[in-house]
Amino acid sequence: MAVYTHLGAEDLARLIAQYDVGELVSAKGIAEGVSNSNWLVETIGAEGSGARFILTLYERRIDYADLPYFLDLLDHLSAKGCPVPRTMHDRAGASFRMVEGKAAALIEFLPGVSPTRPTAAQAHSVGAVLARMHLAARDFPLSRANAMDFAASAAILDACGADRLASIHPDLPAMLAHAHSAAAIDLSALPASQTHTDLFPDNVLMRGDKVTGLIDFYFACTGPMVLDLAVTHAAWCFDAAGQYIADCGTALVAGYESIRSLEPAEVALFPAIAKGACLRFVASRAEDWLETPDDALVTRKDPMQFVERWRFYDEAGAGLLA
Amino acid sequence: MAVYTHLGAEDLARLIAQYDVGELVSAKGIAEGVSNSNWLVETIGAEGSGARFILTLYERRIDYADLPYFLDLLDHLSAKGCPVPRTMHDRAGASFRMVEGKAAALIEFLPGVSPTRPTAAQAHSVGAVLARMHLAARDFPLSRANAMDFAASAAILDACGADRLASIHPDLPAMLAHAHSAAAIDLSALPASQTHTDLFPDNVLMRGDKVTGLIDFYFACTGPMVLDLAVTHAAWCFDAAGQYIADCGTALVAGYESIRSLEPAEVALFPAIAKGACLRFVASRAEDWLETPDDALVTRKDPMQFVERWRFYDEAGAGLLA
């Protein structure tokens, strides 16, 4: 969470001048984004009207071949009235430019703050917006494979190995077999669309109970819509102590179904898919944990949080959406 | 440069509600401030008008007893038309509040960007604004001693010791004697006011050649005005390679004198005071260098940059302002 690349005022002004967005007035590096540098940029038009944008410089963790998918998807969804930021295009029509050897995009700034203790009313709104996004994205012409699908989670845990997983927590190695079970689930018949797949509360901007923005689409991919709902469920419906917040869970699904009804196959597979979603975060967190030195200043996220959520879904089973 | 303390949306909203500034709409942690956590906060009033502020949470490197000096000085200068951000006062009239055991202040947001390669026209503007600030601050009722005065620089270099200074660069130990010479200069007869003493380009916001804000007053103190001009000269008038930019230097002083003429004693002492100002940064950078492990991720600032500037002032001598 930092600004990794220094861009001076003159560099920023030159970059902004490539867009038809007025003149640079202010730029503050913001402490968001794990693999990008971001600035909150303000411009003023010839007629005196102000506008704000997020300027993102993509550090090397993103495959630049994926940028048209991410950036065009924002435009597609925004044009259909979904609360996502538009991508600004430069005077030549490009959605991103190269600056200091890195890709840069100028994205609409949206107001709102991310809830840290979401209420049921907020979960309901997020569910509804997620369903609207899924429906709006169905005719999006590009597609992107899910690099973090269930097979990838199993492969990551395999690469960690049972011994090193046990060094983090003795209960982790047991998740290896569960990850392989998840990878064996046949998701091919489930209704698909473009999905966010990382819709944690920090990726949602809200004013009160209203969603003002879904942001950070850099895990977005083509896949089963119910997987996106399951990720969102696992991300929104547990408190800091790991306890399931039933009214949030119920509200999230009700909000989703107020816009798009789940099909019987999606309902039937929901607990298994939610367990797979948990293992996706167990895998990435375990990998990060093993790659981060014990004495690093970075706070490591505990993979066991999502083992506990996996256990919740395992126990809840079919009763959860009943 | 980071956000050190996590404040959730609900915490921020509760804090903002203590001020008469409308309702919280947006908050972004910004990557500014070495010892503070900062957020760019947006609010909306009942009548729909938006306003922006910098919320600063003071981490422990600042003595809270100094906060009234720093925050009231901003109000004093702003009321006199200097381009500095006003401190917002809460509903009880306080200029700062305690949040999670730390002091927090809400400060007016000012537009503008910090130049990285200042032009002579920009240096002229900064000189003029610095002089206006000095004149406006003369009747400020509080005072604060300069914790980084020339005696403090000498003491810091003494504490580093010649051997450890030599481990950074063989030319550093010679600066010890020079620091003691600077500490022996009698500054008591020089005209004094409240001074910024850290007016590097990153602490100045500009739009084109116009100064829109002087910020980051956390080294401000009561002292000789010409020392503040000398610090600003040393901070603004050298390029990235360490070469003196004569037209910037001339413009800075001319801008200053367009508002306030230097007295003969100030002109006479300028080279010696500029050398002392350089040693203040040599000292703090040498100390940081020795305290920062070689393999730390933090970029250490090279104390030798200011040894080279010291040499420039030593050679230029009385000819500089002639």
Side-chain angles (χ1 to χ4, degrees), chain B residues 7-306:
Chain B
L7 285 186
E10 298 84 349
D11 306 319
L12 288 166
R14 201 159 37 234
L15 175 60
I16 296 299
Q18 304 301 319
Y19 295 81
D20 187 22
V21 295
E23 188 194 333
L24 180 66
V25 172
S26 172
K28 300 282 182 198
I30 58 176
E32 285 186 16
V34 187
S35 47
N36 306 324
S37 296
N38 291 286
W39 290 262
L40 176 48
V41 162
E42 184 181 354
T43 63
I44 192 160
E47 71 299 352
S49 63
R52 271 171 298 158
F53 307 94
I54 302 291
L55 172 66
T56 297
L57 201 68
Y58 298 95
E59 306 293 339
R60 289 293 174 183
R61 286 177 66 166
I62 275 185
D63 184 346
Y64 289 177
D66 286 334
L67 281 176
Y69 175 85
F70 298 140
L71 297 172
D72 292 0
L73 181 57
L74 294 179
D75 282 341
H76 180 91
L77 294 173
S78 175
K80 292 205 173 194
C82 292
V84 306
R86 279 185 307 145
T87 305
M88 308 312 294
H89 292 247
D90 71 9
R91 294 177 191 280
S95 61
F96 66 96
R97 302 180 55 84
M98 297 303 290
V99 179
E100 311 250 323
K102 291 171 184 169
L106 193 66
I107 292 171
E108 186 185 12
F109 168 87
L110 294 178
V113 291
S114 299
T116 44
R117 293 179 290 279
T119 63
Q122 290 176 321
H124 192 280
S125 299
V126 168
V129 165
L130 184 66
R132 277 173 54 203
M133 191 206 97
H134 286 164
L135 296 179
R138 290 193 89 161
D139 62 347
F140 182 61
L142 304 180
S143 71
R144 177 175 181 265
N146 184 357
M148 290 301 292
D149 65 8
F150 295 168
S153 302
I156 288 170
L157 289 172
D158 278 342
C160 291
D163 289 352
R164 292 201 304 154
L165 290 174
S167 76
I168 304 175
H169 193 284
D171 291 354
L172 267 180
M175 292 295 129
L176 265 168
H178 298 309
H180 282 281
S181 303
I185 303 172
D186 181 8
L187 305 173
S188 62
L190 296 171
S193 182
Q194 313 310 324
T195 57
H196 188 287
T197 77
D198 195 40
L199 202 58
F200 280 78
D202 12 341
N203 289 333
V204 178
L205 299 172
M206 306 194 77
R207 283 200 62 199
D209 296 340
K210 185 174 150 51
V211 175
T212 53
L214 308 181
I215 58 172
D216 212 345
F217 275 72
Y218 303 111
F219 287 102
C221 56
T222 311
M225 293 181 271
V226 67
L227 170 58
D228 211 7
L229 178 60
V231 167
T232 310
H233 195 276
W236 278 75
C237 307
F238 295 83
D239 66 18
Q243 275 298 310
Y244 178 60
I245 313 167
D247 64 344
C248 274
T250 306
L252 178 76
V253 176
Y256 190 89
E257 291 214 274
S258 73
I259 303 295
R260 175 184 169 261
S261 293
L262 292 172
E263 297 182 4
E266 294 178 290
V267 172
L269 275 173
F270 187 84
I273 288 176
K275 287 198 288 177
C278 291
L279 290 169
R280 173 248 178 280
F281 297 108
V282 171
S284 60
R285 288 178 172 202
E287 184 180 42
D288 282 351
W289 190 282
L290 294 170
E291 283 175 358
T292 309
D294 285 341
D295 58 354
L297 289 170
V298 179
T299 310
R300 301 186 292 193
K301 290 183 178 167
D302 186 354
M304 289 306 294
Q305 277 186 357
F306 276 90

